[in-house]
Amino acid sequence: MQFQSPMPGRDYLWSIFVSVDKDRSGYISADELQQALSNGTWNPFNPETVRLMIGMFDKENRGVISFNDFGTLWKYVSDWQKCFRSFDTDSSGNIDSKELKNALNAFGYRLPDDTADMMVRKFDRYGQGTILFDDFIQCCVTLYTLTSAFRQHDPNQDGVITIHYEQFLRMVMSLKL
């Protein structure tokens, strides 16, 4: 499934939704969505990224998304695709450590080079020193989610928190990652 801009009409989205809903349940599961999405390499999206997105857009907490949720997810992925292309400055179809650092700087994160390198290693499924589109989404959403959880314990917003181990476990285990 390739994404296009501007936001397509409801009938167009419905035709895609119906084609993706293989079991005709009226909902799209993570497996159905994974088979439908493309990361630009003709391989299905990373299952972890798909699971993360289903969790974000599943308003009914059923592990599936409705047609309305699908429209919101479509726009979300389309916006990420534009973002990815803007930071893929060499048009290679992937993001290297330097491009990721530029993206994170643009998002307001000031992280050292070795942290950006570590993030590329973490989200590089193929060991090539780069991350693909779907992994870029997962990387950015994970960083945002972790940062938001951290900030809840950082009242001074100075980048320093003091928590007990049990608080740390509760914080991390409660996240939808």
Side-chain angles (χ1 to χ4, degrees):
M1 173 184 335
Q2 294 296 322
F3 296 89
Q4 60 187 22
S5 267
M7 184 69 173
R10 190 169 175 83
D11 291 341
Y12 179 72
L13 281 179
W14 178 252
S15 69
I16 293 171
F17 182 86
V18 169
S19 72
V20 172
D21 180 18
K22 300 292 185 199
D23 66 0
R24 305 291 179 243
S25 65
Y27 292 90
I28 294 177
S29 69
D31 289 341
E32 289 170 327
L33 185 61
Q34 185 209 12
Q35 294 305 313
L37 294 172
S38 169
N39 66 9
T41 65
W42 300 104
N43 293 317
F45 253 47
N46 180 335
E48 286 301 310
T49 306
V50 174
R51 184 188 58 76
L52 183 67
M53 290 190 309
I54 290 283
M56 291 170 63
F57 292 96
D58 173 16
K59 301 296 184 233
E60 300 168 20
N61 247 356
R62 296 177 53 189
V64 293
I65 56 172
S66 68
F67 174 65
N68 288 335
D69 299 335
F70 177 72
T72 307
L73 183 140
W74 179 278
K75 180 173 181 350
Y76 179 80
V77 174
S78 297
D79 290 345
W80 271 115
Q81 189 175 53
K82 286 181 235 166
C83 176
F84 179 85
R85 287 181 180 154
S86 74
F87 291 110
D88 178 17
T89 54
D90 61 2
S91 299
S92 62
N94 54 53
I95 297 284
D96 63 24
S97 185
K98 181 180 177 221
E99 291 167 328
L100 179 62
K101 184 162 172 58
N102 290 338
L104 297 178
N105 280 336
F107 301 155
Y109 296 99
R110 301 293 178 255
L111 302 172
D113 291 346
D114 62 332
T115 302
D117 294 343
M118 177 194 60
M119 292 176 74
V120 167
R121 284 190 306 275
K122 168 76 177 159
F123 293 97
D124 175 11
R125 283 183 288 158
Y126 299 107
Q128 298 179 342
T130 60
I131 53 178
L132 300 172
F133 170 55
D134 49 340
D135 300 317
F136 177 71
I137 294 172
Q138 184 182 359
C139 175
C140 294
V141 169
T142 299
L143 179 61
Y144 174 80
T145 303
L146 290 170
T147 301
S148 295
F150 184 93
R151 284 186 177 152
Q152 290 178 3
H153 297 278
D154 184 10
N156 299 329
Q157 300 299 300
D158 60 4
V160 176
I161 63 174
T162 302
I163 58 176
H164 297 281
Y165 182 64
E166 292 81 13
Q167 288 174 297
F168 169 75
L169 287 177
R170 274 194 296 278
M171 178 179 75
V172 173
M173 296 298 178
S174 69
L175 299 176
K176 283 189 173 185
L177 291 177

